[in-house]
């Protein structure tokens, strides 16, 4: 049985400095998919100059951030002393835990001739028991992202978070969740089975995509029902197709989100702000040049 679509949306503009941003989650239909509480899509753009100042240091608590850069490079620095730089196809994960200040710097890929910037940032809500843990950071380069060729050479699947068959991401999980990038060649298709009670959504990077016989446009966000079932992804004959498929088990703890903090009650939000203004998150001393 094929899964049914619950809704689709194109999100809202939420530009950040020179970056054109489409905010896909939360949206007018839902605030969460599994543990994913936030999704910003960095719309493809040409960047001619290198920005050395970052996007602006800011705090987080209670979540993990995940940046996946399709094209370009992203440099990370934070108040726990972590630094890292990823290039096209790479991802970086930061557990904010009990509080951190970080900054990210989006630029074109200095390793290639491409001037494009294109990617995603997700926020993954931590279970209540993990929100008080110490911050952590992991950089994953493109060649470290688990990938497999799909049957009949129809395309490939990358595992950014979670697992698929024999593939396992090096990014930690604190609940049952997944984040895949699926690429299909023109005219090809791929069938994936989803378990019961999993919350599942897709983001279409390109046109030329059909999901369970329904055609969607690029930059469209689609959520499915929670019943077990199949998702059939087809690339039309006009060209290849790319989608992000993500989700996980229902987040059952209470959720209170305000600004950069996602906690389980209002008292914890107050504490998050109080600790930030008291300087308990530390400060970014200086980004290491890498």
């Amino acid at each position: 049985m094929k899964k049914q679509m619950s809704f689709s949306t194109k999100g809202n503009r939420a530009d950040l400095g020179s970056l054109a941003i489409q905010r896909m989650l939360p949206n007018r239909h839902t605030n969460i998919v599994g543990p994913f509480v936030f999704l910003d899509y960095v719309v493809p753009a040409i960047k001619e100059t290198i920005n050395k100042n970052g996007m602006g240091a800011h705090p987080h608590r209670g979540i993990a951030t995940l940046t996946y850069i399709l094209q370009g490079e992203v440099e990370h620095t934070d108040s726990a002393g972590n630094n890292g730089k990823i290039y096209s196809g790479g991802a970086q994960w930061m557990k904010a835990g009990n509080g951190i200040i970080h900054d990210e710097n989006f630029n074109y890929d200095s390793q290639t001739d491409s001037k494009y910037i294109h990617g995603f940032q997700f926020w993954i809500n931590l279970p209540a028991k993990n929100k008080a843990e110490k911050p952590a950071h992991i950089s994953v380069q493109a060649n470290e992202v688990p990938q497999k060729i799909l049957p009949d050479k129809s395309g490939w699947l990358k595992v950014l978070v979670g697992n698929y068959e024999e593939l396992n991401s090096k990014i930690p999980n604190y609940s049952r969740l997944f984040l895949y990038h699926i690429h299909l060649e023109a005219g090809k298709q791929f069938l994936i089975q989803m378990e019961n009670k999993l919350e599942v959504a897709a983001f279409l990077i390109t046109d030329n995509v059909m999901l369970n016989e329904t055609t969607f446009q690029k930059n469209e966000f689609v959520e499915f029902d929670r019943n077990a079932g199949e998702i059939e992804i087809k690339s039309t004959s006009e060209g290849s197709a790319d989608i992000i498929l993500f989700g996980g088990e229902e987040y059952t703890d209470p959720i209170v989100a305000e600004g950069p903090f996602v906690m389980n009650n209002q008292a914890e939000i107050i504490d998050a702000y109080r600790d930030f203004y008291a300087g308990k998150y530390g400060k970014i001393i200086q980004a290491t040049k890498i």
Side-chain angles (χ1 to χ4, degrees):
M1 172 181 274
K2 292 183 179 178
K3 289 179 71 65
Q4 299 298 309
M5 267 75 76
S6 300
F7 69 85
S8 66
T9 181
K10 284 207 166 185
N12 299 292
R13 289 295 293 267
D15 294 354
L16 180 61
S18 61
L19 296 181
I21 302 291
Q22 197 74 10
R23 182 149 299 160
M24 309 309 303
L25 189 69
N27 57 57
R28 63 191 179 91
H29 300 285
T30 188
N31 292 322
I32 189 168
V33 177
F36 293 91
V37 293
F38 181 92
L39 169 55
D40 267 0
Y41 174 53
V42 182
V43 179
I46 294 176
K47 189 168 186 181
E48 297 285 355
T49 59
I50 294 289
N51 174 25
K52 297 182 179 181
N53 298 321
M55 303 304 296
H58 56 279
H60 287 294
R61 178 182 274 188
I63 60 168
T65 64
L66 177 73
T67 301
Y68 176 39
I69 189 75
L70 296 173
Q71 291 181 285
E73 67 179 43
V74 183
E75 185 172 7
H76 167 95
T77 185
D78 65 45
S79 58
N82 300 306
N83 295 277
K85 184 181 286 187
I86 56 170
Y87 304 91
S88 299
Q92 60 185 0
W93 172 89
M94 182 194 74
K95 180 172 70 173
N98 61 5
I100 198 168
I101 298 170
H102 82 134
D103 198 0
E104 288 185 307
N105 196 5
F106 286 74
N107 284 301
Y108 63 78
D109 192 334
S110 61
Q111 296 186 333
T112 70
D113 293 330
S114 173
K115 299 294 184 182
Y116 277 96
I117 297 178
H118 185 198
F120 300 89
Q121 185 170 88
F122 296 83
W123 291 5
I124 303 169
N125 197 9
L126 296 174
K129 64 182 181 180
N130 301 110
K131 287 182 181 289
E133 294 177 350
K134 293 181 179 179
H137 175 265
I138 296 174
S139 291
V140 182
Q141 300 301 338
N143 62 0
E144 299 175 301
V145 177
Q147 176 178 339
K148 72 178 301 175
I149 302 301
L150 298 177
D152 301 322
K153 296 182 180 180
S154 57
W156 46 255
L157 182 150
K158 293 182 179 180
V159 178
L160 280 304
V161 180
N163 56 73
Y164 178 78
E165 295 183 347
E166 76 280 6
L167 304 181
N168 295 282
S169 171
K170 65 187 292 186
I171 292 173
N173 309 344
Y174 295 93
S175 62
R176 191 160 52 111
L177 74 159
F178 64 92
L179 172 57
Y180 306 146
H181 179 177
I182 300 170
H183 171 85
L184 292 179
E185 300 298 336
K188 299 294 185 177
Q189 62 187 52
F190 172 63
L191 193 69
I192 187 167
Q193 180 71 38
M194 290 293 160
E195 300 172 31
N196 194 36
K197 297 184 179 180
L198 276 186
E199 299 179 359
V200 181
F203 178 83
L204 281 65
I205 302 173
T206 62
D207 283 322
N208 312 317
V209 181
M210 294 183 70
L211 301 176
N212 289 349
E213 303 300 330
T214 300
T215 300
F216 293 95
Q217 299 176 336
K218 69 177 180 180
N219 301 357
E220 200 161 359
F221 176 103
V222 181
E223 185 169 341
F224 296 85
D225 65 22
R226 299 183 185 183
N227 298 321
E230 299 170 337
I231 300 175
E232 184 181 54
I233 307 165
K234 289 183 179 180
S235 174
T236 66
S237 59
E238 285 78 14
S240 61
D242 284 86
I243 78 164
I244 298 291
L245 192 68
F246 68 99
E249 62 184 336
E250 180 184 6
Y251 188 91
T252 56
D253 294 324
I255 300 173
V256 179
E258 187 172 316
F261 307 125
V262 182
M263 305 303 295
N264 299 117
N265 57 61
Q266 189 61 42
E268 291 175 344
I269 292 289
I270 293 170
D271 287 343
Y273 277 106
R274 181 185 296 119
D275 289 349
F276 168 61
Y277 288 118
K280 293 185 179 181
Y281 296 0
K283 60 181 179 179
I284 298 175
I285 304 300
Q286 183 178 2
T288 302
K289 300 302 180 184
I290 54 177

